[in-house]
Amino acid sequence: MPTALITGATAGIGAAFARRLAADAFSLVLVARDELRLARTAEQLRLRYGVEVEVLAADLASDEGIARVESRLRDGVDLLVNNAGFGNAGSFPEAPVGDELRMLKVHCEAVLRLTLAALPAMRKRGRGAIVNVASAAAFFTRGTYGASKAWVVSFSEAAAHMVGHPRIRIMALCPGFVRTEFHQRAGMDSSGIPGPLWLKADDVVRGAMRDLALGKSVSIPSLRYKVVVAVGRLVPRRVQAMVSARIGR
């Protein structure tokens, strides 16, 4: 039975990955900060899907938390989903520098270190996959959040090429606005985001798994966001910044 480790696994896209992979008969390792919520989520998955579920409480904004997950990854997994992430209520340059650094720790350093921790066992077995959850914001000019997700996309594309193994796949997943706890937990007002731009987490994961099977290094779920990103690449950066500032992250 293959094993998947998912960070940020108790809500949103991470929880959707857990459901999908449990349905596909993966054993799971769920990583999040909230031990109580982890235990509840794990029990629900065991009862519904009959799979083995291991929990690992870790804060990826800390060296200790990242090291705990690195240690588990060195034992080997078949699939790593680097999903943990968050947004700041304040935007650059008003957001406290400590909050910005914490974001870079989770979005960039943790993704780098966990990817490096997972790869040796995958190379030894000659197979494996890593999904790094980025954002459609990576393709637009939007403060530290967009910049950190742009790093995830660039890193994932480079890593996929440099690993150079046909049975080890690394992919950046770039969803747009998804119905999750993301905006509420960050204290962001999402009321101005047009309804058609919202995606469902389960649909995002379905598209991601399809693109991973196809060997893509970047996955942009849904036709509407493929169009948004394609058009955005043709628009001057200054105009991008104006538009993204109006509709938020």
Side-chain angles (χ1 to χ4, degrees), residues 197-220:
L197 290 181
W198 288 104
L199 304 174
K200 295 179 180 178
D202 290 323
D203 293 340
V204 168
V205 171
R206 188 179 304 112
M209 295 303 293
R210 181 182 62 246
D211 286 346
L212 185 65
L214 292 172
K216 294 186 179 182
S217 59
V218 177
S219 172
I220 302 173

Side-chain angles (χ1 to χ4, degrees), residues 99-121:
D99 292 349
E100 298 281 55
L101 290 172
R102 182 168 167 264
M103 177 180 287
L104 293 176
K105 185 90 169 178
V106 175
H107 291 184
C108 301
E109 182 180 336
V111 168
L112 170 65
R113 288 174 58 178
L114 299 188
T115 297
L116 288 172
L119 277 173

Side-chain angles (χ1 to χ4, degrees), residues 20-67:
R20 166 61 189 263
L21 295 170
D24 288 344
F26 275 74
S27 296
L28 302 177
V29 183
L30 307 183
V31 178
R33 291 179 299 168
D34 189 330
E35 291 188 62
L36 202 57
R37 197 172 185 185
L38 268 175
R40 275 200 310 266
T41 301
E43 186 59 23
Q44 290 167 358
L45 291 166
R46 292 188 193 107
L47 290 173
R48 181 172 180 181
Y49 299 102
V51 297
E52 295 182 12
V53 185
E54 176 185 344
V55 297
L56 180 55
D59 182 358
L60 297 182
S62 70
D63 284 326
E64 179 186 3
I66 296 174

Side-chain angles (χ1 to χ4, degrees), residues 135-166:
S135 168
F139 304 103
F140 297 89
T141 305
R142 182 63 186 180
T144 307
Y145 181 83
S148 69
K149 294 302 188 179
W151 182 89
V152 172
V153 174
S154 180
F155 167 71
S156 300
E157 289 185 290
H161 174 72
M162 296 178 77
V163 166
H165 193 295

